[in-house]
Amino acid sequence: MGRIKGGIGIALLAGAVLAGASGCGGNAVASASGATSSPQASASSSTGAGASGSASAGASAGASASASPSPTHPDGPPVQLDSITPVDGSTVGVAMPVSIVFTDSVASSARAAVEQHLKVTTSIPVTGAWHWYSSRRVDWRPQQFWQSGTKVTVNADLNGVGDGNGRYGTHGYKHTFTIGADVETTVSVPGHSMTVTRNGSVVRTMPIDAGSPSFPSWDGTMAVIDKQREVRMTSCSVNISCDKNSPNYYDLTLPWDVHLTDSGTYIHYSTGDPYPGHSYGSHGCVHLSMSDATWFYNYVEQGDPVTITGSPRGKAAGDNGYAAFNLSWSQWLAGSAAGQQTTTAA
């Protein structure tokens, strides 16, 4: 969390103690005694830092214009973007979607036309589609994980395109990024273990502790949103407890934090659970030892998939960060106005 929002240039403070908080701190108490509400009640639109479903766009630099305003559209306020993720020129993991957040709502009647002007081209042809999570956020993902080495270009040619609510685009936006190595992480909650593979070969297996029965971790596949050297984590920020006398109250700043969901899930080291691998140890996060947390933080990048299994909480919503692959392909297409497409070569 800990984002400073300001229009198109949403900033991320990396390498510092962040002002916001996540949902996981030290050792979780098995009973939810004293908690004001369970984190299971949190939806992807309600996060520990009070951000909306578009908060994960904070990992992106602002969208940059590729052309000057044009007078060919009707008069009216302009269509603007808060962000396009990934950032232009970046290298990301195989589960990273393209995520576009509009400043204002796009009407249902205008979404097919908008999708048609959000052109994705790739160095390797791939089948994919856009999916509207809300009237402001639309993401594009391939049917399966990206192939490593793929070059991707997003050309949002919105000049003159209406949003159905009286606004018209005045310029286009263009982002190009590359898909890096196939680094995948799997976490077994009941097995208290985590395995990292690279291009199909095991790199490292580590002991972990995940969420307690009262505060379980999310299941499913979540692409890494970002990572931060330190994050302040408080129970009050995610409605676990604001009562300092509660056994579930915490206010900690913890290191080596790999961010998985907007609702506050991280993989990190915890002073309350320094030797994981044997019990339930958190309020929903995944705990590693100090050496393993340091290694994992330095190894993974934005967009690398982390798949958690064996937790009773269920899968994270697709817009709870970048969990697009928690939706089946038919579910994904159900949120598209223009349907699937096969990309052309960039």
Side-chain angles (χ1 to χ4, degrees):
M1 316 314 194
R3 284 161 175 73
I4 296 176
K5 301 176 186 177
I8 221 166
I10 302 178
L12 170 66
L13 295 183
V17 177
L18 303 188
S22 90
C24 318
N27 229 356
V29 177
S31 169
S33 173
T36 56
S37 67
S38 165
Q40 288 174 287
S42 297
S44 60
S45 60
S46 177
T47 77
S52 71
S54 65
S56 55
S60 162
S64 57
S66 61
S68 58
S70 167
T72 59
H73 58 79
D75 290 335
V79 170
Q80 295 179 321
L81 304 184
D82 277 355
S83 58
I84 300 177
T85 309
V87 298
D88 188 37
S90 61
T91 297
V92 296
V94 298
M96 188 69 204
V98 176
S99 186
I100 295 179
V101 180
F102 290 83
T103 303
D104 299 287
S105 296
V106 176
S108 298
S109 59
R111 292 178 191 174
V114 169
E115 285 183 39
Q116 291 165 359
H117 286 83
L118 301 177
K119 187 177 182 181
V120 178
T121 56
T122 57
S123 59
I124 302 169
V126 62
T127 297
W130 292 99
H131 178 95
W132 292 86
Y133 286 119
S134 69
S135 62
R136 292 183 54 229
R137 177 176 170 182
V138 61
D139 286 17
W140 195 97
R141 54 156 271 206
Q143 186 171 0
Q144 308 295 334
F145 285 169
W146 296 99
Q147 182 176 327
S148 294
T150 304
K151 308 289 186 183
V152 185
T153 298
V154 182
N155 191 346
D157 183 14
L158 297 174
N159 191 20
V161 178
D163 68 358
N165 290 314
R167 297 177 180 84
Y168 293 86
T170 59
H171 51 248
Y173 303 84
K174 186 175 181 180
H175 276 211
T176 300
F177 59 94
T178 302
I179 306 302
D182 183 3
V183 174
E184 302 186 28
T185 299
T186 55
V187 176
S188 170
V189 172
H192 302 291
S193 67
M194 185 173 96
T195 299
V196 179
T197 64
R198 185 182 184 91
N199 300 326
S201 298
V202 174
V203 177
R204 190 166 175 136
T205 298
M206 295 159 276
I208 62 97
D209 288 336
S212 69
S214 297
F215 301 96
S217 303
W218 288 113
D219 252 351
T221 298
M222 294 147 276
V224 170
I225 298 173
D226 53 43
K227 53 185 183 177
Q228 294 122 59
R229 174 61 181 80
E230 291 182 319
V231 173
R232 182 185 175 197
M233 302 188 178
T234 75
S235 56
C236 191
S237 69
V238 286
N239 298 320
I240 291 177
S241 179
C242 296
D243 179 4
K244 292 185 178 180
N245 295 317
S246 167
N248 283 299
Y249 177 85
Y250 56 85
D251 186 343
L252 300 166
T253 297
L254 297 172
W256 309 122
D257 305 285
V258 176
H259 193 186
L260 299 184
T261 69
D262 284 336
S263 58
T265 306
Y266 289 79
I267 299 177
H268 66 121
Y269 169 77
S270 173
T271 54
D273 186 27
Y275 306 106
H278 51 81
S279 66
Y280 299 106
S282 82
H283 291 83
C285 288
V286 176
H287 290 169
L288 294 169
S289 69
M290 178 63 84
S291 61
D292 285 339
T294 305
W295 177 88
F296 187 67
Y297 176 92
N298 288 319
Y299 196 77
V300 296
E301 300 295 345
Q302 183 187 43
D304 288 340
V306 176
T307 301
I308 300 177
T309 61
S311 179
R313 191 173 185 180
K315 292 182 178 180
D319 60 345
N320 190 357
Y322 301 125
F325 286 94
N326 279 346
L327 280 69
S328 69
W329 188 237
S330 59
Q331 290 173 323
W332 188 261
L333 291 178
S336 176
Q340 73 180 37
Q341 57 184 265
T342 298
T343 62
T344 56

